[in-house]
Amino acid sequence: MNKYEIKVVLLSGLLLSSFLFALLYNAFSRKIDTPACIPYNAAFEKGHVRQLDDSTCEVYVSAHMWGFDPAEIVIPVGTTVEFYLTSTDVVHGFNIDGKGVNLMAVPGGVNRITVPFNSIGTYRIVCHEFCGIGHQNMMGKIIVKDKIYQQ
Ligand code: CUA
């Protein structure tokens, strides 16, 4: 191996470890779950929020041209949300701003991801997969409120 080859090998090693670091950083420090595919069931096509206990809820998100059902999700701060995502027509994207969540909503398939919401605020959901003329307007939001203001 000449000097040049050694440099290339070292550089690719460095790149590889930085990718690995980014992956592990997301998985552990930011407590982001890896998405899982789960068996499909038509019940997932009906978007809804279900409170499981004081700090956990399940949200079934159904994507369609050109919106999400539910379009607005309101939860108290400190809630961990299990998202179950599907689509009723074509493939859509599901990206939550500031949360590092990036999933596909696939018709006939369900993707699950667990996301903790520990700061008050509004998190925008956008479709990042081109899905027709209404694509650029396809969005939703998650409103994380202080516990005191919840009824
Ligand atoms: Cu749905 Cu783009």
Side-chain angles (χ1 to χ4, degrees):
M1 251 201 262
N2 65 27
K3 262 189 194 166
Y4 181 70
E5 282 174 324
I6 292 170
K7 272 186 190 162
V8 169
V9 168
L10 285 177
L11 190 69
S12 23
L14 198 71
L15 265 177
L16 207 65
S17 28
S18 65
F19 285 133
L20 200 67
F21 171 78
L23 198 76
L24 294 176
Y25 174 74
N26 267 319
F28 296 106
S29 312
R30 299 179 69 192
K31 292 193 177 64
I32 288 168
D33 187 23
T34 37
C37 285
I38 64 163
Y40 180 75
N41 177 318
F44 290 110
E45 290 186 3
K46 204 138 183 70
H48 70 270
V49 180
R50 192 161 75 97
Q51 197 77 36
L52 296 180
D53 59 45
D54 280 357
S55 59
T56 324
C57 76
E58 240 178 27
V59 180
Y60 285 19
V61 180
S62 178
H64 55 88
M65 286 187 238
W66 287 280
F68 295 100
D69 174 27
E72 196 177 291
I73 300 157
V74 184
I75 49 167
V77 69
T79 303
T80 296
V81 180
E82 276 173 33
F83 287 100
Y84 291 86
L85 178 68
T86 192
S87 165
T88 54
D89 40 44
V90 299
V91 176
H92 296 278
F94 183 79
N95 181 92
I96 306 174
D97 273 2
K99 280 292 180 190
V101 172
N102 191 327
L103 289 181
M104 303 304 282
V106 182
V110 181
N111 279 320
R112 184 188 66 194
I113 194 164
T114 305
V115 189
F117 288 89
N118 296 321
S119 323
I120 294 167
T122 300
Y123 299 81
R124 200 168 59 124
I125 301 168
V126 290
C127 173
H128 58 74
E129 178 70 25
F130 183 73
C131 55
I133 52 162
H135 165 70
Q136 72 277 11
N137 298 320
M138 182 166 170
M139 48 190 91
K141 59 181 154 181
I142 300 158
I143 300 168
V144 182
K145 286 190 169 174
D146 196 321
K147 281 185 173 146
I148 298 163
Y149 302 110
Q150 286 281 310
Q151 345 27 13

